[in-house]
Amino acid sequence: MKMTGKSTLFQILLAGYTLLHTTTAATLKPAAVVGPNLCVTLVGSQLLLQTCVGSPFQQWTLFKDDGTNIYRFQNQGSGTCIWTDTITPDEPVVGEILTMGGCTLSNGSGVPPSNAEWSAVNALPGTTLLRTFVRHTVNNLCVDSFNGLLFLNTCSGVITQQWTEG
C-alpha cells in the first residue's frame, strides 16, 4: 500500500476531540469537552493528554493509504508514529497503553509496520473511531483515553473514542 503524506499538519482532539488540519504544526486535543485545553502530548515514549503549549511533541502529521481509511500519525518532535506495542505476539489487547515507534519497518523497505496503522471507521474528515490494524486486520479495539493516558479499549463509540478531522 502506498502512503501519501498530507502537506499540512493537524490537531487531533480526542473524546469529542477533533483532528484539525492547519497549514502550520498542529496538536491532538479534546474539542467538545468542557475543561482545560488538552492536547495529546508525547512525553518520553508515552502519549498523554496535557495542557496545549504548542510544543513540537504536541504536533502531528497524518499519512493515509491511497484508496483506504488506513492512517498513520507521526509526531513532529520525535518523527515516530503512534503504535500499539502488542503485549502478546501480534495480538493487541484491551488495556494496552499506546506508545511510539518507527513509521516504517527497520529493513529499509519504507513499508509501515501494521502496529503503526489505524483504521478509521468513517473516512476523515468526519467523526470516526480509530481501530487497530495489527497484522493488516481491522479488529474491535479502539484508541481510548482515561486520566490523560491513551490506551486500547473495546470499541463502543463512547465520546473518548471519537476522533474528528476538521
Side-chain angles (χ1 to χ4, degrees), residues 93-164:
V93 296
V94 169
E96 234 174 83
I97 304 300
L98 297 186
T99 186
M100 302 298 289
C103 297
T104 58
L105 294 174
S106 59
N107 65 9
S109 66
V111 174
S114 65
N115 59 334
E117 294 183 305
W118 302 91
S119 174
V121 174
N122 302 306
L124 295 172
T127 301
T128 191
L129 303 178
L130 294 176
R131 297 176 188 243
T132 62
F133 197 61
V134 172
R135 291 184 298 132
H136 304 287
T137 302
V138 177
N139 62 56
N140 198 37
L141 293 178
C142 288
V143 176
D144 206 335
S145 171
F146 182 74
N147 285 340
L149 193 61
L150 300 182
F151 65 99
L152 293 180
N153 204 356
T154 302
C155 297
S156 65
V158 296
I159 193 73
T160 56
Q161 295 179 353
Q162 296 179 14
W163 297 73
T164 305

Side-chain angles (χ1 to χ4, degrees), residues 33-146:
V33 177
V34 176
N37 187 23
L38 298 176
C39 291
V40 173
T41 306
L42 177 59
V43 179
S45 64
Q46 287 190 317
L47 292 167
L48 305 172
L49 291 179
Q50 294 188 334
T51 302
C52 298
V53 295
S55 161
F57 294 98
Q58 295 178 329
Q59 299 167 357
W60 304 86
T61 302
L62 170 71
F63 293 91
K64 181 183 183 297
D65 276 349
D66 289 337
T68 72
N69 285 340
I70 306 301
Y71 296 86
R72 285 183 291 156
F73 304 95
Q74 184 178 40
N75 184 267
Q76 292 301 291
S78 70
T80 57
C81 285
I82 297 175
W83 268 41
T84 172
D85 193 14
T86 57
I87 295 169
T88 57
D90 297 324
E91 295 295 334
V93 296
V94 169
E96 234 174 83
I97 304 300
L98 297 186
T99 186
M100 302 298 289
C103 297
T104 58
L105 294 174
S106 59
N107 65 9
S109 66
V111 174
S114 65
N115 59 334
E117 294 183 305
W118 302 91
S119 174
V121 174
N122 302 306
L124 295 172
T127 301
T128 191
L129 303 178
L130 294 176
R131 297 176 188 243
T132 62
F133 197 61
V134 172
R135 291 184 298 132
H136 304 287
T137 302
V138 177
N139 62 56
N140 198 37
L141 293 178
C142 288
V143 176
D144 206 335
S145 171
F146 182 74

